[in-house]
Amino acid sequence: MVRQSRLEQIESPEFLDSLYAILADSTRRSLLRYLTSHPKPVTIDRLASELAAIEHGIPVETVTSDQRREIALRLQHVDVPALDDAGVVSWSRETQQIEHTPLWETVQTTMPALGELLESSLIDPSGATGKDAS
């Protein structure tokens, strides 16, 4: 991964490899889509609830603590650190707050097809809302 990527690194092969690696995972795409549509920082717990609802195709109010905990552990130990290392999110380990960075905004602007990729995270082949099978 490219650590704390700067804007001038966007077109470098290393950054593109890092970006494609993080976007290959549907949970990370859903996470980025959520952060893009919610510009204020969000906690891992809140994000876990939202992503569990998407993954299971249920309202966020009906997400169980086990479903939330499973996603939260993965977010905290795998997905958020990977996105933070790539520089597309900023993560405060003390407050557990996550938000997208200006780098992510620039990436979206320079790579408009990302919008379609992020949208595909939320639709399965049958047309129902939920986690894709990628």
Side-chain angles (χ1 to χ4, degrees), residues 2-134:
V2 176
R3 263 195 106 62
Q4 296 304 315
S5 299
R6 292 178 296 195
L7 295 178
E8 64 267 12
Q9 293 175 312
I10 285 179
E11 294 183 19
S12 74
E14 295 83 12
F15 179 76
L16 291 174
D17 288 347
S18 175
L19 182 63
Y20 292 140
I22 61 175
L23 293 176
D25 182 88
S26 63
T27 299
R28 292 181 193 157
R29 291 191 308 268
S30 294
L31 183 159
L32 288 167
R33 182 174 187 275
Y34 182 84
L35 292 178
T36 299
S37 63
H38 296 83
K40 294 187 179 189
V42 63
T43 64
I44 283 185
D45 284 340
R46 178 64 186 169
L47 191 54
S49 293
E50 295 288 341
L51 296 181
I54 291 168
E55 182 174 309
H56 295 285
I58 59 176
V60 74
E61 301 82 27
T62 63
V63 170
T64 67
S65 59
D66 286 342
Q67 291 169 328
R68 182 177 37 257
R69 186 174 30 256
E70 180 183 329
I71 299 284
L73 284 171
R74 179 176 169 179
L75 289 175
Q76 188 163 6
H77 296 287
V78 180
D79 295 318
V80 174
L83 294 169
D84 187 45
D85 284 347
V88 295
V89 303
S90 175
W91 175 37
S92 168
R93 286 164 178 79
E94 296 82 34
T95 64
Q96 294 298 299
Q97 297 272 327
I98 306 156
E99 62 185 325
H100 66 82
T101 64
L103 176 62
W104 177 243
E105 292 173 13
T106 301
V107 167
Q108 291 183 100
T109 303
T110 59
M111 301 175 79
L114 285 179
E116 291 176 26
L117 179 61
L118 294 178
E119 286 297 322
S120 72
S121 300
L122 303 176
I123 307 297
D124 73 15
S126 68
T129 300
K131 186 174 177 180
D132 68 350
S134 62

